[in-house]
Amino acid sequence: MLETVKYLIGSVGASGYGSKSTAEQVTESCPDLSSITAIITGATSGIGAETARVLAKRGARLVLPARSLKAAEDAKARIVAEFPGSEIVVMALDLSSLTSVRNFVSEFESLNVSLNLLINNAGKFAHEHAISEDGIELTFATNYLGHFLLTKLLLNKIIQTAEATGVQGRIVNVSSAIHGWFSGDTIRYLGEISRNRSQYDETRAYALSKLANVLHTKELARRLREMEANVTVNCVHPGIVRTRLTREREGLATDLVFLLASKLLKTIPQAAATTCYVATHPKMIGVSGKYFADCNETSPSKLGSNLVEAGRLWSASEVMVSKDSGAIFADQY
């Protein structure tokens, strides 16, 4: 109850910010970002678009990957209209396709630019059961597996940039408090919904993908520490906000739910605040493997804190991106 009251009144935490803080407010004290290059997935609308807009305002060079190049060009045009001189590159990327991820990374590397910041923001809530071209349930493939491979392939570039510039690299995974709704065996359930339509539950599938984002953060942070890399990775819950994530379920029922929950909803500038705080704020230097909500560190679910489960998912993910996705459903995982 106390946490709910704090949320509703916008009480600030240790960071100096809270649920009512906006992305512009939390970046006011960040250093000039003109030397920073950032990749932001899902930046054509909603939270991702606001994240891109605010980082551009602070001077960052942006790479905006998107499935729809037109949508990405429109997003670029809106930012440039507000902040003339912004450096923005639009590139093609379909996160549900491992081939597309590899093609994007190859094209990005050909640009021969540095990479300081990777924000894995894009998300999908598939109301109908669907399988990716790689044989993985579509929500999981888009929200987690594509980002896992993207991060894996870009990691050396981020590490090298940090070494060359002395500026700590940062990776931000956008998850959701809904990750706590998932319980059970992660790999087993993924196998069930990737092979059998009858086992599919859209909310549980979404929760699984968001849990995977949290577990990915935990294991990647551990590996970065072992490597002694000057790179951090953290996970964020942006808050509840009406974005295009609900576009397949517009109508009276959806409108009523959002009306009743309106006191708990954030504006998009408020929802982008935690991502921007974790991505840019000086207080976040050296902080890694943590979970943030309302711009303050908090605790993920018990399963999301399980380091053994994080390692298990990582091993399964390596198999999934190795073009032998069927092998993940074997008993050894």
Side-chain angles (χ1 to χ4, degrees):
M1 174 62 81
L2 179 60
E3 291 304 313
T4 301
V5 172
K6 287 182 178 179
Y7 175 87
L8 290 172
I9 66 175
S11 177
V12 301
S15 68
Y17 305 106
S19 62
K20 303 301 183 185
S21 301
T22 67
E24 288 199 16
Q25 289 170 344
V26 303
T27 57
E28 284 175 351
S29 61
C30 76
D32 174 54
L33 300 182
S34 59
S35 64
I36 299 299
T37 300
I39 293 176
I40 309 170
T41 68
T44 58
S45 65
I47 296 168
E50 177 66 2
T51 299
R53 187 190 75 83
V54 172
L55 293 189
K57 179 176 183 177
R58 304 305 178 201
R61 296 186 297 271
L62 305 180
V63 177
L64 306 184
R67 187 171 55 179
S68 167
L69 288 178
K70 181 183 184 304
E73 290 288 357
D74 289 345
K76 174 182 176 178
R78 290 192 297 269
I79 294 172
V80 171
E82 186 174 0
F83 308 113
S86 297
E87 295 183 54
I88 303 174
V89 177
V90 167
M91 298 175 66
L93 172 62
D94 179 353
L95 282 160
S96 72
S97 163
L98 299 179
T99 297
S100 178
V101 173
R102 291 188 176 93
N103 289 342
F104 166 81
V105 172
S106 178
E107 185 179 352
F108 174 77
E109 289 178 339
S110 72
L111 299 177
N112 197 29
V113 297
S114 60
L115 179 59
N116 309 88
L117 175 60
L118 172 62
I119 300 179
N120 293 319
N121 166 82
K124 179 180 182 62
F125 191 118
H127 296 286
E128 301 297 330
H129 181 266
I131 302 298
S132 75
E133 65 184 42
D134 302 290
I136 306 296
E137 188 276 320
L138 191 61
T139 297
F140 189 90
T142 304
N143 295 357
Y144 167 70
L145 193 61
H147 283 128
F148 173 85
L149 181 60
L150 181 67
T151 304
K152 174 184 171 70
L153 296 179
L154 290 173
L155 192 58
N156 281 340
K157 173 66 75 173
I158 300 173
I159 292 172
Q160 290 164 6
T161 298
E163 290 176 347
T165 63
V167 177
Q168 191 167 74
R170 300 190 189 186
I171 300 167
V172 182
N173 289 331
V174 178
S175 181
S176 168
I178 292 174
H179 82 270
W181 294 12
F182 185 87
S183 61
D185 188 307
T186 56
I187 308 304
R188 185 179 301 278
Y189 182 63
L190 175 61
E192 289 173 355
I193 60 177
S194 294
R195 292 178 299 184
N196 191 340
R197 181 187 299 268
S198 67
Q199 300 297 318
Y200 182 71
D201 177 276
E202 60 199 49
T203 302
R204 193 175 185 215
Y206 183 74
L208 171 63
S209 72
K210 297 287 100 178
L211 172 63
N213 295 144
V214 178
L215 294 172
H216 178 218
T217 301
K218 292 289 184 184
E219 179 64 12
L220 180 55
R222 185 189 70 77
R223 290 170 179 255
L224 288 168
R225 284 192 294 268
E226 282 191 351
M227 297 166 63
E228 298 183 348
N230 188 23
V231 176
T232 64
V233 57
N234 290 286
C235 197
V236 304
H237 164 56
I240 307 170
V241 60
R242 187 168 196 174
T243 70
R244 292 183 65 224
L245 200 63
T246 63
R247 62 186 174 272
E248 296 173 36
R249 278 284 178 90
E250 295 299 324
L252 180 60
T254 303
D255 290 341
L256 180 59
V257 168
F258 274 92
L259 176 64
L260 294 174
S262 61
K263 296 299 182 183
L264 295 175
L265 291 181
K266 288 186 175 185
T267 65
I268 287 176
Q270 290 169 347
T274 305
T275 299
C276 288
Y277 174 78
V278 171
T280 68
H281 204 280
K283 285 185 178 180
M284 288 299 300
I285 294 174
V287 178
S288 192
K290 306 300 183 181
Y291 177 77
F292 287 80
D294 301 328
C295 300
N296 288 277
E297 184 183 341
T298 187
S299 298
S301 68
K302 183 177 180 180
L303 189 54
S305 302
N306 190 317
L307 297 181
V308 173
E309 190 65 20
R312 178 171 176 257
L313 177 64
W314 186 286
S315 297
S317 301
E318 291 280 17
V319 175
M320 282 187 271
V321 300
S322 71
K323 302 181 181 179
D324 187 18
S325 60
I328 67 162
F329 309 129
D331 290 340
Q332 63 262 36
Y333 288 107

